[in-house]
Amino acid sequence: MDYIKKLSEEFKIQPQYAENVINLLDEGNTIPFIARYRKEMHGSMDDQLIRQFAERLEYMRNFDARAEEITGLIDTAGALTEEIKEAIANAETLTDLENIYRPFRPKRKTRASIAKEKGLEPLAMYILQQEDKDSYPIDLAENYVDGEKGVETPEDALQGALDIIAETCSDNAEIRKRLFNLVWYNGVVVSKAADEEAESVYTIYYDFSEPVKKISGHRILAIDRGEREKFLKVTIETDDEKSLNMIKSVMVTGDSPCSDAVVTACEDAYTRLLLPSIQREVRNQLTENADVSAMKLFATNLHQLLMQPPVKDRVVIGLDPGYRTGCKVAVVDGTGRVLDTTVIYPTHSEAKVKESQEKLIKLIKKYGATVLSIGNGTASKETEMFAAEVISMVNKPDLAYMIVNEAGASIYSASKLAAEELPELDLTLRSAVSIARRLQDPLAELVKIDPKSIGIGQYQHDMPQKRLGETLDGVVEDCVNSVGADLNTASPALLQRIAGLNGTVCKNIVAYREENGKFNSRAELKKVPKLGPKAFEQCAGFLRVADSKESLDNTAVHPESYKAAKALLKLCGYTTDDVRNGGIADIKEKVKDKTSVAQELGIGIPTLNDILDELTQPGRDPRDELPAPILRTDVMGIEDLKEGMEFTGTVRNVIDFGAFVDIGVHQDGLVHISQISDRFIKHPSDVLKVGDVIKVKVLDVDVKKQRISLTMKNI
């Protein structure tokens, strides 16, 4: 396969760019490094596109390897013909290849294989030729009666021959492909209740049908789960007459008594072999498509969550709510360092509530805390009301609170990583620290948790876990590298997501820090054991050293471009000291002809643009350009909501049929896809993303079911 030609066409890029990306990947370069520091070689493809390119390249290579393997297997069996070679050469998918190989694949015992053991294959092939217009199949079968082989009568012989023809029909690659398309474009997914009296969350699917080609991914995943849990029975209905006519058009080639026998075999093949198999293939494809769509949405949500703006340089008090065991409290400074911890009991007796108020107020005043970060788990509502009351008691205008999604916090607190980071704290208090840090810097804290546990997906436990993990790991890697990390403060978990670094090297970086003190430059990284030239090349641009004598060390300018960056500064009349002092706001205005400047510096225009951006705002954080999180000082409950009330809320999760929005009443409200926009949209993610701050209006409230319906229309 010509990978360069095919990939350049699929991704609509120049063939040279496709070739360059293939070479860069094969040389062991990481995707973040390629995306950021090799833009001239691929036309400024972003990291997500390069990741898709890499996945497609891997698929093509696996396809070619399987095609070669299948060719060899068929050749070894002595059955390789020019026709089969051509079919393999024209195959487009792995499914096509497997269908070609199907007749030659070793099979378990079948009716056809048993018939072949009885010596009935010659009879089957003779009937299948349909050339004998004078003989009836039952007469031909008399010659194959053999009691020793278990063929007692002509009817036995004929039935065995028909079984062989039916399997031949079922193994026909053309028939399978055409039947798949017929079911895909004309079939209907039908689900019925396994027990109509049974109560379940799948009641809307107890009598449900929708065309295969139209059914949405989230419905497929729900139906699949309902079937696994034995609440649903699922089938795919299709046009049997049209399907059979198609099969006959391929298999019936004559007009003879033998042709009638072939028709009988085709009908048997369709009902017994083909239809069940193709239905499974169609359902597998529907599930595969639904998984891909759900993983893509999960990845999008995760990216937006990780890229939420940090609440910088503020002392935060994390509150991990609880009833019986109390509310765990942790105070962390602007860098995430733990200052204090305690436990309060805001849901107990009046005396305990008063004591808890006094404790929290004392901590707020002692450490100058300005934000309370409250986990959204058990007792969150009561803790939120308690926090709002405390805020009203403290004369501190800048004091506010925010509800934080605590999904995965308990997993982190019990992890080996948490024990290494916070060895002096009980694991219950570690959760409070994590909740505080999530508000301060979502990215730095959430990288410590398995992305699947963060709670922003849809049916994530039903998806292929390995593929989901790889997809989400790619998102985390892209986010971490787009922001960068402080070499002197980044945790091992954060460092491990930096391009080119692995667990061993990250531990060595931290050990070097502990033994020698903070890094004074990027170049000092080369002294870290097992961090070789290739790893340095990949990671250096994504690591920052704020206090380095080399001011470019606190930018995303790669060390390989320092010479060009300094030449650019000199050309524009500046020095690296100007970069250290907050950046050079007007340097872009001094570069009139980028083409000639880039040529003079020996770099490409994309690299020149990136250097200019960094010199303008050294150490910039792309998250700062996004809307800040909403901090609150008072509290409302779902019972306080009325139809028509308007709120400013934060999008917490985007799913196939809408988006969940936090409007400050503890229970997120749902904006159904039909209520997002006046214009038609294919998917909620066309308009909304996690972290968006939007205006919504209450449509309906069901206090008993704890459901809030919202709209974005007419506001």
Side-chain angles (χ1 to χ4, degrees):
M1 185 183 296
D2 187 340
Y3 302 136
I4 296 170
K5 182 176 183 294
K6 198 161 182 63
L7 287 167
S8 63
E9 289 172 353
E10 283 189 24
F11 288 86
K12 296 179 174 57
I13 58 176
Q14 296 178 23
Q16 185 61 47
Y17 290 161
E19 183 178 7
N20 289 342
V21 175
I22 292 171
N23 291 336
L24 286 166
L25 290 168
D26 288 346
E27 289 165 5
N29 293 288
T30 62
I31 288 173
F33 176 80
I34 296 170
R36 173 76 191 187
Y37 297 113
R38 292 296 180 264
K39 290 181 178 178
E40 288 83 359
M41 296 183 71
H42 54 71
S44 298
M45 294 167 66
D46 64 26
D47 44 20
Q48 293 183 43
L49 194 59
I50 295 173
R51 204 170 291 281
Q52 291 170 16
F53 183 102
E55 289 170 358
R56 185 65 178 138
L57 174 63
E58 183 180 11
Y59 179 91
M60 289 178 176
R61 285 175 166 169
N62 289 339
F63 178 94
D64 279 357
R66 182 57 177 158
E68 186 176 342
E69 182 182 16
I70 285 173
T71 302
L73 289 168
I74 298 174
D75 191 25
T76 301
L80 188 63
T81 64
E82 289 302 318
E83 185 181 1
I84 292 173
K85 285 182 182 178
E86 185 178 353
I88 292 173
N90 292 331
E92 296 179 350
T93 66
L94 284 168
T95 301
D96 291 343
L97 285 178
E98 297 304 330
N99 281 338
I100 293 167
Y101 180 51
R102 189 182 182 89
F104 310 99
R105 185 187 297 123
K107 292 183 174 68
R108 59 180 176 79
K109 215 162 207 183
T110 64
R111 281 164 50 171
S113 67
I114 293 170
K116 288 177 181 178
E117 289 172 2
K118 294 178 178 180
L120 298 174
E121 189 169 15
L123 174 60
M125 294 303 101
Y126 186 82
I127 293 172
L128 190 54
Q129 288 174 8
Q130 304 166 63
E131 294 174 352
D132 190 336
K133 296 184 181 292
D134 301 320
S135 304
Y136 285 88
I138 192 67
D139 297 329
L140 297 170
E142 289 180 357
N143 298 322
Y144 291 86
V145 174
D146 186 338
E148 291 184 5
K149 292 183 178 179
V151 185
E152 303 292 345
T153 66
E155 286 77 12
D156 290 343
L158 179 58
Q159 184 57 57
L162 294 182
D163 287 341
I164 294 171
I165 295 171
E167 189 171 277
T168 302
C169 174
S170 175
D171 286 345
N172 185 289
E174 180 189 354
I175 287 175
R176 297 189 70 85
K177 187 168 186 176
R178 289 173 63 179
L179 183 56
F180 180 94
N181 289 334
L182 275 172
V183 177
W184 187 267
Y185 290 106
N186 299 290
V188 177
V189 177
V190 177
S191 68
K192 299 286 185 183
D195 177 3
E196 293 183 359
E197 303 300 319
E199 285 291 326
S200 77
V201 296
Y202 306 105
T203 52
I204 61 172
Y205 298 110
Y206 278 10
D207 186 14
F208 171 84
S209 65
E210 193 164 356
V212 170
K213 63 182 179 182
K214 289 185 178 179
I215 192 167
S216 58
H218 71 90
R219 292 195 185 281
I220 286 295
L221 294 174
I223 287 170
D224 286 352
R225 182 186 285 182
E227 185 180 41
R228 282 196 303 274
E229 295 178 5
K230 303 196 183 315
F231 286 105
L232 301 176
K233 292 183 177 179
V234 186
T235 58
I236 295 182
E237 295 180 354
T238 190
D239 188 331
D240 293 335
E241 184 178 354
K242 185 182 288 187
S243 299
L244 271 169
N245 286 339
M246 179 276 294
I247 294 169
K248 292 173 187 175
S249 72
V250 176
M251 296 295 294
V252 181
T253 58
D255 181 17
S256 70
C258 288
S259 299
D260 294 337
V262 172
V263 168
T264 301
C266 288
E267 291 170 348
D268 175 47
Y270 176 68
T271 55
R272 181 170 60 88
L273 302 172
L274 274 166
L275 187 58
S277 175
I278 296 301
Q279 284 183 333
R280 282 194 300 272
E281 285 184 19
V282 168
R283 288 199 62 192
N284 287 342
Q285 188 61 58
L286 284 170
T287 300
E288 165 78 8
N289 293 350
D291 285 341
V292 169
S293 178
M295 284 189 279
K296 183 178 179 182
L297 181 59
F298 199 149
T300 300
N301 287 344
L302 178 62
H303 182 275
Q304 301 303 336
L305 177 65
L306 294 178
M307 294 300 285
Q308 286 299 288
V311 177
K312 293 180 178 178
D313 304 321
R314 296 177 74 167
V315 176
V316 177
I317 297 180
L319 302 175
D320 182 12
Y323 286 117
R324 184 179 59 81
T325 57
C327 175
K328 277 62 69 180
V329 182
V331 187
V332 300
D333 68 11
T335 66
R337 183 169 61 93
V338 180
L339 301 175
D340 209 336
T341 60
T342 190
V343 180
I344 58 177
Y345 299 89
T347 63
H348 288 224
S349 66
E350 188 175 331
K352 283 288 187 183
V353 171
K354 189 167 186 279
E355 179 188 327
S356 298
Q357 288 173 340
E358 291 171 353
K359 269 189 178 183
L360 188 56
I361 290 171
K362 184 177 179 182
L363 289 173
I364 290 168
K365 291 181 176 178
K366 180 178 179 180
Y367 296 106
T370 57
V371 186
L372 306 179
S373 179
I374 305 170
N376 67 341
T378 304
S380 175
K381 180 66 176 178
E382 292 83 353
T383 305
E384 181 185 4
M385 295 171 67
F386 168 80
E389 178 68 19
V390 167
I391 289 171
S392 68
M393 296 167 67
V394 179
N395 184 22
K396 195 172 175 56
D398 59 347
L399 181 62
Y401 76 85
M402 182 175 172
I403 303 295
V404 174
N405 186 346
E406 66 175 46
S410 59
I411 296 173
Y412 161 74
S413 64
S415 68
K416 182 181 177 183
L417 175 60
E420 292 173 352
E421 286 188 336
L422 305 166
E424 73 285 357
L425 294 184
D426 178 81
L427 64 85
T428 58
L429 290 169
R430 293 173 193 159
S431 291
V433 174
S434 179
I435 288 168
R437 288 174 173 174
R438 286 186 187 202
L439 180 63
Q440 287 184 315
D441 192 337
L443 178 60
E445 192 62 22
L446 291 174
V447 295
K448 302 172 185 176
I449 300 165
D450 182 346
K452 296 194 290 285
S453 302
I454 294 177
I456 53 165
Q458 185 180 11
Y459 297 101
Q460 58 260 41
H461 300 297
D462 299 331
M463 292 178 239
Q465 294 302 292
K466 183 173 183 293
R467 280 178 58 198
L468 177 61
E470 290 170 351
T471 298
L472 300 184
D473 283 344
V475 173
V476 176
E477 182 182 51
D478 292 343
C479 290
V480 170
N481 287 284
S482 68
V483 172
D486 188 321
L487 184 54
N488 286 314
T489 61
S491 68
L494 190 64
L495 287 171
Q496 198 163 333
R497 300 292 189 169
I498 292 293
L501 299 182
N502 57 35
T504 301
V505 173
C506 291
K507 287 180 181 177
N508 291 346
I509 289 174
V510 174
Y512 184 93
R513 253 179 4 203
E514 292 172 351
E515 185 177 340
N516 300 285
K518 66 180 184 180
F519 284 87
N520 294 308
S521 68
R522 275 175 171 163
E524 197 175 345
L525 266 171
K526 296 176 180 177
K527 296 180 181 179
V528 173
K530 297 190 177 179
L531 199 156
K534 185 69 174 182
F536 180 81
E537 176 193 50
Q538 299 296 306
C539 75
F542 303 109
L543 294 169
R544 314 280 187 268
V545 184
D547 300 325
S548 173
K549 292 180 181 179
E550 173 54 79
S551 59
L552 295 175
D553 281 353
N554 194 36
T555 71
V557 177
H558 196 281
E560 68 186 10
S561 297
Y562 280 6
K563 183 179 178 181
K566 290 175 181 178
L568 176 62
L569 286 168
K570 185 176 181 181
L571 191 66
C572 297
Y574 297 106
T575 67
T576 52
D577 287 337
D578 296 309
V579 179
R580 190 190 312 280
N581 296 330
I584 308 164
D586 63 347
I587 191 169
K588 291 182 181 179
E589 298 170 12
K590 299 200 174 186
V591 181
K592 304 296 183 184
D593 185 351
K594 288 185 178 180
T595 302
S596 61
V597 170
Q599 288 175 348
E600 184 177 343
L601 299 177
I603 57 177
I605 290 179
T607 298
L608 174 62
N609 287 331
D610 286 345
I611 292 173
L612 286 170
D613 286 340
E614 292 300 317
L615 297 180
T616 303
Q617 292 179 288
R620 70 189 181 94
D621 188 331
R623 298 173 295 173
D624 292 340
E625 299 167 9
L626 301 170
I630 298 175
L631 301 177
R632 305 183 186 279
T633 56
D634 56 3
V635 63
M636 287 182 66
I638 188 172
E639 62 279 353
D640 300 319
L641 297 181
K642 304 293 180 190
E643 184 181 335
M645 281 185 170
E646 295 185 7
F647 292 90
T648 298
T650 304
V651 176
R652 291 299 184 200
N653 198 5
V654 179
I655 53 179
D656 286 338
F657 53 85
F660 287 102
V661 180
D662 172 14
I663 57 173
V665 295
H666 185 63
Q667 179 65 41
D668 290 347
L670 173 67
V671 183
H672 189 268
I673 186 171
S674 62
Q675 296 297 324
I676 290 175
S677 175
D678 289 319
R679 63 182 175 84
F680 172 77
I681 58 173
K682 288 184 177 180
H683 195 276
S685 60
D686 294 343
V687 176
L688 298 174
K689 60 181 183 295
V690 171
D692 277 352
V693 176
I694 60 173
K695 288 190 175 181
V696 293
K697 184 164 61 178
V698 177
L699 274 182
D700 184 56
V701 181
D702 188 328
V703 177
K704 186 177 179 181
K705 293 184 177 179
Q706 292 287 290
R707 290 178 181 170
I708 305 167
S709 297
L710 305 171
T711 182
M712 293 171 61
K713 294 180 177 181
N714 303 318
I715 297 179

